[in-house]
Amino acid sequence: MRDKATSFDIAHRAGVSQSTVSRALRDSPLVNKETRDKIQAIATELNYKVDKNASNLRRQHSLTLALLLFEDPTSDDSLINPFFLSMLGSITKASTKAGYDLLVSFQNLNDDWHAEYEDSNKADGLILLGYGDYTDYRDKLTKLEEQGTHFVRWGAHDIDHAGVSIGCNNMQGGFDVTQHMLNMQRRQFAFIGEAGSQAPEFKERYLGHCQALKDAGLQVNNAMQFDAISTEQSGYQGVQRLLDSGNKFDALFCASDLIALGALRCLQEKGLSIPEDVAIAGFDNIPISSFANPALTTVHQNTKLAGEILVDSLLRLISGEEVSHYLMPVDLVVRRSSGAQT
């Protein structure tokens, strides 16, 4: 038997994490009163005494923020979605301006990333960024919130997801790009990209697309939606499946620019002219989109503003302020691929 009880002993008795014990013993409002009282009673029973020097050291801010980046798996781990590279740049600059270092870590959604960083004093808070299957992600966000970790995430607001979300108006973007192609007299639409709950941003873009079709009096044909993750190869394969289906289409909306670039190549290799035979549009306005042939119509997300809002929101959370979800506006960028004479 040890002579002195530790916070880990209290955590074991209370059935909580050691970090929750630490917060409860300093009366943190991030721990609910019932749990706080239970932990404090166990500490009294075990005659636990807080090591003030160690406690003060642990409570010091690291002046570091952690950016955890998640992406769909690809055959080449060195490839990063250019949209997230732009976000990385803006988040780094905003962090530096605020006097913080930025720790960047690439993660798999199925790893135990939620158990590290703030609790180990690596960082004062987390920024979560990326695409991927968010089915497992939801539970880990809940655990982050339960353990009092300061975090914000880039993405669609979902009442089933814990934490503060900063994102763009994906539904409006999907609506605007589809309405534009409708105005270009296109009537047979296909959509390439995930449209399920595992990809909430793509799903919202698809829902906006569907709403524009309905408002135009057109029927939504779910058979014209083909899954794809955000890579050129997946876009190429998605269009190949679309062509193999035999369904006719004269307009193609892709859930990201990378998907659209792969789709564009596939269509051209099959002898189709863009935009004469098929109008095509993407989403994200990555730098290469304007250099495609033809230049790609897309939806612009302001990555500079996004980085600033993510960092500012996280710092306000760290300071104990209340922070709300934020939805950024989007801008339609019309180029030659949708039939515009630019």
Short mmCIF file of all heavy atoms in Angstrom, two decimals, residues 14 27 31 65 68 94-95 103 108 114 173 251 261 280 314 316:
data_model
loop_
_atom_site.label_atom_id
_atom_site.label_comp_id
_atom_site.label_asym_id
_atom_site.label_seq_id
_atom_site.Cartn_x
_atom_site.Cartn_y
_atom_site.Cartn_z
N ALA A 14 -13.83 6.78 -8.47
CA ALA A 14 -14.96 7.56 -8.99
C ALA A 14 -15.41 7.11 -10.37
O ALA A 14 -16.50 7.47 -10.83
CB ALA A 14 -14.59 9.04 -9.04
N ASP A 27 -12.59 22.87 -8.51
CA ASP A 27 -13.95 23.41 -8.66
C ASP A 27 -14.24 23.92 -10.06
O ASP A 27 -14.93 24.93 -10.23
CB ASP A 27 -14.21 24.53 -7.64
CG ASP A 27 -14.45 24.00 -6.25
OD1 ASP A 27 -15.08 22.92 -6.12
OD2 ASP A 27 -14.01 24.65 -5.29
N VAL A 31 -16.95 20.40 -14.88
CA VAL A 31 -17.38 19.14 -14.29
C VAL A 31 -18.70 19.39 -13.58
O VAL A 31 -18.81 20.32 -12.77
CB VAL A 31 -16.33 18.61 -13.28
CG1 VAL A 31 -16.78 17.27 -12.69
CG2 VAL A 31 -14.98 18.46 -13.95
N LEU A 65 -1.50 25.65 -29.58
CA LEU A 65 -2.75 25.07 -30.06
C LEU A 65 -2.41 23.86 -30.92
O LEU A 65 -1.37 23.84 -31.58
CB LEU A 65 -3.56 26.08 -30.88
CG LEU A 65 -3.88 27.41 -30.21
CD1 LEU A 65 -4.66 28.31 -31.16
CD2 LEU A 65 -4.66 27.20 -28.92
N LEU A 68 -5.51 19.05 -35.45
CA LEU A 68 -5.57 17.64 -35.82
C LEU A 68 -6.27 17.54 -37.17
O LEU A 68 -7.42 17.94 -37.33
CB LEU A 68 -6.35 16.85 -34.76
CG LEU A 68 -5.88 17.01 -33.31
CD1 LEU A 68 -6.57 15.99 -32.42
CD2 LEU A 68 -4.37 16.87 -33.20
N ALA A 94 -3.05 32.90 -38.07
CA ALA A 94 -3.92 33.43 -37.01
C ALA A 94 -3.40 33.05 -35.62
O ALA A 94 -3.47 33.86 -34.68
CB ALA A 94 -5.34 32.90 -37.20
N SER A 95 -2.85 31.85 -35.50
CA SER A 95 -2.28 31.41 -34.22
C SER A 95 -1.07 32.26 -33.85
O SER A 95 -0.94 32.71 -32.70
CB SER A 95 -1.88 29.93 -34.28
OG SER A 95 -2.99 29.11 -34.55
N LEU A 103 0.77 23.24 -33.16
CA LEU A 103 1.22 21.86 -33.30
C LEU A 103 0.29 21.17 -34.29
O LEU A 103 -0.92 21.09 -34.07
CB LEU A 103 1.17 21.16 -31.94
CG LEU A 103 1.48 19.66 -31.90
CD1 LEU A 103 2.91 19.40 -32.31
CD2 LEU A 103 1.22 19.10 -30.51
N ASN A 108 -5.74 9.42 -37.78
CA ASN A 108 -6.77 8.54 -38.31
C ASN A 108 -7.98 8.66 -37.40
O ASN A 108 -7.85 8.74 -36.18
CB ASN A 108 -6.30 7.09 -38.34
CG ASN A 108 -5.18 6.87 -39.34
OD1 ASN A 108 -5.24 7.38 -40.46
ND2 ASN A 108 -4.16 6.12 -38.95
N HIS A 114 -8.45 11.54 -29.14
CA HIS A 114 -9.24 12.32 -28.20
C HIS A 114 -8.70 12.23 -26.77
O HIS A 114 -9.12 12.99 -25.90
CB HIS A 114 -10.69 11.83 -28.21
CG HIS A 114 -10.85 10.40 -27.81
ND1 HIS A 114 -10.35 9.36 -28.55
CD2 HIS A 114 -11.44 9.83 -26.72
CE1 HIS A 114 -10.63 8.21 -27.96
NE2 HIS A 114 -11.29 8.48 -26.85
N GLY A 173 -24.39 26.68 -51.03
CA GLY A 173 -23.45 26.49 -52.13
C GLY A 173 -23.95 25.47 -53.14
O GLY A 173 -23.86 25.68 -54.36
N ALA A 251 -25.40 17.70 -67.02
CA ALA A 251 -24.82 18.54 -65.98
C ALA A 251 -24.31 17.65 -64.85
O ALA A 251 -24.97 16.68 -64.46
CB ALA A 251 -25.84 19.54 -65.45
N LEU A 261 -12.13 17.40 -60.78
CA LEU A 261 -10.97 17.29 -61.68
C LEU A 261 -10.82 15.87 -62.20
O LEU A 261 -10.50 15.65 -63.38
CB LEU A 261 -9.70 17.74 -60.95
CG LEU A 261 -9.62 19.23 -60.61
CD1 LEU A 261 -8.41 19.52 -59.73
CD2 LEU A 261 -9.58 20.07 -61.88
N ILE A 280 -19.96 21.03 -65.91
CA ILE A 280 -19.43 20.43 -64.69
C ILE A 280 -19.03 21.53 -63.71
O ILE A 280 -18.55 22.59 -64.11
CB ILE A 280 -18.24 19.50 -65.00
CG1 ILE A 280 -17.76 18.78 -63.74
CG2 ILE A 280 -17.12 20.23 -65.68
CD1 ILE A 280 -16.76 17.67 -64.01
N LEU A 314 -11.56 29.28 -30.53
CA LEU A 314 -10.88 28.39 -29.58
C LEU A 314 -10.27 29.18 -28.43
O LEU A 314 -10.37 28.77 -27.26
CB LEU A 314 -9.79 27.60 -30.31
CG LEU A 314 -8.99 26.62 -29.44
CD1 LEU A 314 -9.91 25.63 -28.72
CD2 LEU A 314 -7.98 25.85 -30.28
N ARG A 316 -11.27 31.98 -27.23
CA ARG A 316 -12.37 32.43 -26.35
C ARG A 316 -12.86 31.29 -25.46
O ARG A 316 -13.18 31.51 -24.29
CB ARG A 316 -13.51 32.98 -27.21
CG ARG A 316 -13.18 34.35 -27.83
CD ARG A 316 -14.15 34.73 -28.92
NE ARG A 316 -15.53 34.73 -28.44
CZ ARG A 316 -16.58 34.65 -29.23
NH1 ARG A 316 -16.41 34.52 -30.55
NH2 ARG A 316 -17.79 34.69 -28.74
#
